[in-house]
Amino acid sequence: QVQLVESGGGLKQTGGSLRLSCAASGRTSSIAHMGWFRQVPGKEREFVARINWSGANTDYSDSVKGRFTISRDNAKNTIYLQMNSLKPEDTAVYSCAARLFGDTRHAYWGQGTQVTVSS
């Protein structure tokens, strides 16, 4: 089992910055990838960014590329999402997720943290 706890959401104005954190515990040695996803009520969950557990490879959705940066701290078993140049369309509940080695899907999810960007 892997437990994920997000923090760092909040309210920002357009152009502002926020950093989200996601702390993993439990079977962290089994984690292959971690990612951030976001969801707006009434819409499907959207991929935002992902990082492999070594931190060597990252990937971003086109909508956040160049503005958001995903990173990880091995010692703290934590990943981060640095969000810069925020836009109102970034408003969503952001959740982190973990995919274990040998799995084909993200089986473990955090509770989510609200990010609201005002215009």
Side-chain angles (χ1 to χ4, degrees):
Q1 293 283 349
V2 172
Q3 294 78 41
L4 303 174
V5 178
E6 302 103 333
S7 60
L11 173 64
K12 284 290 182 179
Q13 291 187 329
T14 297
S17 297
L18 271 176
R19 189 177 80 156
L20 305 182
S21 301
C22 175
S25 60
R27 292 174 54 196
T28 57
S29 61
S30 299
I31 296 174
H33 294 268
M34 288 188 70
W36 288 98
F37 296 77
R38 66 187 182 186
Q39 190 167 23
V40 175
K43 293 189 176 181
E44 290 189 0
R45 181 182 289 153
E46 175 190 15
F47 164 74
V48 176
R50 65 180 169 220
I51 187 167
N52 68 335
W53 203 229
S54 71
N57 295 307
T58 59
D59 191 22
Y60 299 90
S61 69
D62 288 342
S63 61
V64 307
K65 197 172 295 182
R67 300 188 297 121
F68 291 8
T69 302
I70 190 170
S71 62
R72 62 157 296 174
D73 183 329
N74 289 350
K76 296 181 178 180
N77 288 325
T78 298
I79 66 168
Y80 304 95
L81 186 68
Q82 178 66 43
M83 305 186 294
N84 298 329
S85 302
L86 285 165
K87 304 175 181 180
E89 50 264 43
D90 294 320
T91 296
V93 174
Y94 285 71
S95 300
C96 66
R99 180 167 69 83
L100 304 187
F101 288 106
D103 284 353
T104 58
R105 62 184 181 87
H106 292 83
Y108 299 96
W109 292 82
Q111 80 284 358
T113 185
Q114 177 71 45
V115 171
T116 303
V117 184
S118 63
S119 58

